[in-house]
Amino acid sequence: MDQVGFVRKVSNGKVEVEVRRISACGDNCKSCGGSCHAPNHVVILPNNIDAKVGDLVEIKGETKNILKYTMVVYMIPFTMLILGILIGMKTFKNLEISNYEPLSFLIGLVFMALGYFIVKTIDKNIGKKEEDIIRMTRII
């Protein structure tokens, strides 16, 4: 994944880079007609190329790592939601509660919230490793 970013701020060996998000239609809005707006995204990266405020920089990301972390962010909460619903249904059915579907869904939501805390913990661990998932490669 290659992107171009605009350096907004430099401090303590880090840079704040504004990156334009790519819309689902591939930035060909005439063919899409969806009238969507893809807002810019700000990332903080190590300043390994001595970029200065106002520079345009090339940003590269390892597709394998991006896909791996995307799966973590989306699949853990989704899996926890389904697991909570299934556990809730089995438990409430065994307790012979007649209105078990909405209660099972609420248990699923609680499990999904737990999944988000798991994702947050994983994110903190990744941040401590300072793994370069996305990095600046050159000043344009």
Side-chain angles (χ1 to χ4, degrees):
M1 178 189 97
D2 296 345
Q3 288 275 66
V4 174
F6 176 75
V7 178
R8 291 180 8 170
K9 184 177 171 184
V10 178
S11 64
N12 298 329
K14 303 257 184 194
V15 290
E16 191 174 283
V17 180
E18 186 173 348
V19 181
R20 190 167 160 238
R21 286 187 181 176
I22 299 172
S23 66
C25 60
D27 287 332
N28 189 2
C29 296
K30 289 180 184 175
S31 69
C32 175
S35 300
C36 61
H37 173 68
N40 293 340
H41 186 68
V42 176
V43 292
I44 297 172
L45 301 169
N47 193 1
N48 57 344
I49 59 171
D50 197 31
K52 295 175 182 39
V53 174
D55 286 345
L56 288 176
V57 293
E58 181 181 61
I59 298 172
K60 288 193 176 196
E62 293 289 329
T63 305
K64 180 181 80 172
N65 287 340
I66 292 171
L67 289 175
K68 181 173 65 172
Y69 295 126
T70 301
M71 289 294 290
V72 166
V73 167
Y74 288 105
M75 291 310 294
I76 289 177
F78 178 72
T79 303
M80 293 297 285
L81 172 69
I82 299 301
L83 183 67
I85 290 172
L86 293 175
I87 289 172
M89 286 181 72
K90 184 155 181 87
T91 303
F92 294 133
K93 246 184 177 178
N94 288 341
L95 294 173
E96 297 178 6
I97 296 175
S98 62
N99 204 10
Y100 64 90
E101 290 96 350
L103 294 173
S104 299
F105 182 69
L106 289 175
I107 297 297
L109 291 178
V110 170
F111 270 62
M112 185 173 70
L114 178 64
Y116 282 117
F117 285 113
I118 293 169
V119 169
K120 191 172 182 177
T121 303
I122 291 170
D123 184 45
K124 283 182 183 177
N125 289 337
I126 290 169
K128 287 179 186 174
K129 289 180 187 177
E130 292 193 21
E131 213 173 81
D132 287 338
I133 300 165
I134 300 171
R135 59 180 166 43
M136 293 186 304
T137 55
R138 66 186 174 105
I139 299 173
I140 299 175

